[in-house]
């Protein structure tokens, strides 16, 4: 039979419990209050030869789901069940409960500012609350612990509540869309037949005055120059280039070159077959 992790009372038979995370060994510290609103510094817990360490425990994260006792007409079944998550610090040998931290808000577990392996957790017991330090020896275990808490936040709806609060709140001087229902976006697109004129600072006027000062012959020559290709330099009296040689003439030239080429001797090629050569 399942029992409540906090009180030890028996749960309904329809209740479902599952272990989200387990670590066989974590170190628990009695830490001083936070000196700033930013968070806790784990370096202050482990200083002075770990004099603040009070216990070495086994850690478990238990998720409990209790369905609604009566069926509801609502189609969303998740709204009809009660889900809770509890972090348990137990004796690693006997299994006795040392401290329990109900995960009722993201502030119940805070990661240390100077280390990813240390956390500050809020434990409850006998109507009292206390903040204890907790440290993992392995960084991988601390990472898995953070992932398990992330899954628990999704099941508990913490992330959805934070997103809704961020969307509903507005800063100073900021107006929501509901406060301005009559606000409409203006249409700056051009209608049919409309044009846009741009003043280039008198460049167009100066260009017109310069064109008016030119004579008709100058304007005609400039117009012809725009639509004609100028001849290459020296094209007036330069002779034309000779045509390329034919294939027959190229072959004759190569044949004469091979006939005039002197063949290298055996000595020049490195093969000495003379009187003192290798082959006699």
């Amino acid at each position: 039979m399942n029992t409540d992790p906090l009180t030890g009372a028996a749960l309904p038979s329809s209740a479902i419990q599952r272990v989200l995370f387990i670590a066989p060994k974590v170190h628990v510290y009695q830490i001083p209050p936070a000196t700033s609103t930013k968070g806790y510094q784990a370096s202050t817990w482990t200083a002075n030869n770990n004099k603040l360490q009070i216990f070495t425990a086994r850690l478990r994260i238990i998720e409990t789901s209790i369905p609604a006792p009566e069926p509801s007409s609502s189609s969303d079944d998740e709204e009809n069940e009660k889900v809770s998550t509890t972090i348990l610090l137990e004796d690693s040998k006997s299994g006795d409960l040392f401290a329990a931290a109900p995960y009722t808000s993201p502030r119940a577990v805070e990661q240390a500012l100077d280390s990813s392996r240390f956390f500050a957790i809020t434990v409850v017991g006998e109507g009292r609350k206390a903040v204890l330090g907790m440290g993992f020896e392995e960084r991988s275990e601390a990472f898995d612990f953070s992932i398990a808490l992330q899954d628990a936040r999704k099941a508990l709806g913490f992330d959805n509540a934070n997103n809704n609060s961020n969307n509903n709140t507005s800063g100073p001087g900021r107006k929501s869309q509901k406060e301005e229902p009559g606000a409409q976006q203006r249409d700056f697109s051009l209608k049919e037949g409309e044009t846009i004129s741009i003043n280039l600072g008198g460049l167009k006027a100066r260009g017109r005055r310069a064109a008016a000062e030119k004579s008709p012959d100058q304007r005609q020559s400039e117009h012809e120059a725009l639509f004609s290709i100028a001849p290459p330099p020296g094209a007036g009296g330069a002779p034309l280039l000779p045509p390329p040689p034919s294939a027959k003439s190229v072959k004759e030239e190569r044949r004469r070159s091979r006939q005039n080429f002197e063949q290298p001797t055996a000595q020049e090629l490195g093969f000495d077959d003379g009187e003192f050569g290798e082959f006699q």
Side-chain angles (χ1 to χ4, degrees):
M1 179 181 294
N2 296 330
T3 59
D4 191 334
L6 288 176
T7 62
L11 296 175
S13 59
S14 59
I16 300 175
Q17 284 186 332
R18 62 174 184 148
V19 179
L20 300 182
F21 175 76
I22 184 171
K25 185 178 181 181
V26 294
H27 301 284
V28 183
Y29 302 85
Q30 182 179 1
I31 62 177
T35 57
S36 65
T37 58
K38 296 181 179 180
Y40 295 86
Q41 296 283 345
S43 58
T44 60
W45 314 343
T46 57
N48 300 324
N49 297 326
N50 292 337
K51 291 182 179 181
L52 298 179
Q53 182 177 347
I54 57 176
F55 195 67
T56 299
R58 179 184 66 182
L59 182 142
R60 290 194 303 158
I61 301 179
I62 305 296
E63 181 186 77
T64 304
S65 176
I66 303 177
E70 296 180 358
S72 175
S73 60
S74 175
S75 60
D76 192 355
D77 295 334
E78 294 183 356
E79 295 179 357
N80 302 325
E81 64 178 0
K82 181 180 179 181
V83 181
S84 61
T85 303
T86 308
I87 302 171
L88 303 178
L89 298 175
E90 303 168 332
D91 191 321
S92 58
K93 296 181 180 179
S94 63
D96 296 336
L97 180 63
F98 173 74
Y103 197 48
T104 55
S105 69
R107 301 285 296 178
V109 179
E110 299 183 39
Q111 184 173 342
L113 299 176
D114 54 349
S115 177
S116 61
R117 296 187 294 111
F118 289 84
F119 300 83
I121 63 175
T122 302
V123 299
V124 298
E126 299 180 357
R128 294 179 298 177
K129 290 184 178 181
V131 179
L132 299 178
M134 183 183 66
F136 294 88
E137 292 184 356
E138 300 293 335
R139 196 175 303 276
S140 58
E141 289 184 337
F143 177 78
D144 294 339
F145 175 72
S146 300
I147 295 299
L149 292 182
Q150 182 178 355
D151 295 338
R153 286 195 298 269
K154 293 180 181 179
L156 296 172
F158 293 164
D159 294 341
N160 296 333
N162 293 334
N163 294 335
N164 293 335
S165 61
N166 293 334
N167 295 333
N168 294 333
T169 56
S170 57
R174 186 181 304 172
K175 297 182 180 180
S176 62
Q177 295 181 355
K178 295 182 180 180
E179 296 177 357
E180 298 180 357
Q184 298 180 358
Q185 295 183 356
R186 299 181 60 184
D187 186 9
F188 294 98
S189 60
L190 292 177
K191 304 300 186 296
E192 184 177 359
E194 293 182 351
T195 59
I196 296 177
S197 61
I198 302 175
N199 186 6
L200 299 180
L203 295 178
K204 187 175 181 181
R206 289 197 297 269
R208 289 178 178 176
R209 290 196 300 268
E213 293 175 358
K214 294 181 179 180
S215 63
D217 296 338
Q218 292 178 344
R219 290 196 296 269
Q220 179 66 22
S221 61
E222 291 178 357
H223 178 76
E224 294 176 355
L226 290 176
F227 297 97
S228 62
I229 300 176
L240 297 177
L241 295 176
S246 62
K248 184 177 180 180
S249 61
V250 172
K251 291 181 180 180
E252 291 291 336
E253 183 67 24
R254 288 179 179 177
R255 184 176 59 82
R256 289 193 296 269
S257 299
R258 286 195 297 268
Q259 292 177 355
N260 297 331
F261 179 74
E262 297 181 357
Q263 297 293 336
T265 62
Q267 294 180 357
E268 292 176 349
L269 293 177
F271 300 98
D272 187 4
D273 294 338
E275 181 180 359
F276 301 99
E278 182 179 358
F279 304 99
Q280 296 182 357

